[in-house]
Amino acid sequence: MPATECLTAEMMEVGMRQVIRLAFTHEQVAQYCALTGDQNAIHRDLEAARVRFPDIPDIVVPGGLLQTTVSGLFGTRLPGDGSLGLSFTPERLREPICPGQAIEVTLEVTRLRAGIVELDVSVDDRHGRRITGAKAKVLPPDPAYRRWWEQQ
């Protein structure tokens, strides 16, 4: 079976959770900025980042990189492969994230309705303090896709 998950709506329950620990690299920040055209200096120049955030130890990870990474978790971890994102409503980042900073992303199923999975997303620092969060609605794969996935 592939390294991803693939849960249909029938396989899911309110309260299901996935906790993913991650950290972004300078290379990921540079690749994201190159791909999106994000030229904000705080993502590539420590001096610029410190003008904006005086005590910051490094450049700032783009919020969009965090959001797209979380989106990727819907398609790999919960519900997993074959999922379609319907909506993603992020909160404001309470503090910047820097390359190398360990964060913990928690995805939790809060509602199942008409085949749609609603999730709460929380992003915490290594001390358990909330950095940001989001609400998401995802359409999980159907049973036919699950059968295909199992054959891979």
Side-chain angles (χ1 to χ4, degrees), residues 115-133:
I116 296 172
V117 178
E118 295 183 20
L119 299 127
D120 275 350
V121 177
S122 64
V123 178
D124 301 315
D125 68 14
R126 64 185 176 93
H127 303 292
R129 291 185 305 246
R130 189 171 175 119
I131 297 171
T132 191

Side-chain angles (χ1 to χ4, degrees), residues 5-10 12 71 74-76 78-88 111-119 136-143 145:
E5 188 53 79
C6 182
L7 302 174
T8 65
E10 297 78 22
M12 301 185 75
S71 236
F74 301 145
T76 56
L78 187 68
D81 200 342
S83 297
L84 304 172
L86 301 175
S87 68
F88 185 80
R111 187 173 182 193
L112 299 165
R113 182 180 49 87
I116 296 172
V117 178
E118 295 183 20
L119 299 127
K137 291 183 183 177
V138 178
L139 184 62
D142 60 21
Y145 189 92

Side-chain angles (χ1 to χ4, degrees), residues 51-94:
V51 169
R52 193 78 172 96
F53 305 101
D55 296 325
I56 201 162
D58 205 340
I59 61 172
V60 176
V61 170
L65 177 55
L66 175 61
Q67 291 174 9
T68 56
T69 300
V70 168
S71 236
L73 296 174
F74 301 145
T76 56
R77 302 290 292 272
L78 187 68
D81 200 342
S83 297
L84 304 172
L86 301 175
S87 68
F88 185 80
T89 308
E91 296 173 359
R92 181 174 183 259
L93 282 166
R94 297 177 184 170

Side-chain angles (χ1 to χ4, degrees), residues 15-72:
M16 288 179 85
R17 294 169 50 119
Q18 282 280 328
V19 179
I20 302 95
R21 289 171 183 82
L22 55 95
F24 296 100
T25 66
H26 284 96
E27 182 179 2
Q28 288 171 315
V29 170
Q31 288 172 340
Y32 174 85
C33 289
L35 181 65
T36 62
D38 186 341
Q39 297 300 312
N40 192 331
I42 66 173
H43 304 316
R44 56 184 160 72
D45 184 298
L46 180 56
E47 186 177 329
R50 284 191 173 150
V51 169
R52 193 78 172 96
F53 305 101
D55 296 325
I56 201 162
D58 205 340
I59 61 172
V60 176
V61 170
L65 177 55
L66 175 61
Q67 291 174 9
T68 56
T69 300
V70 168
S71 236

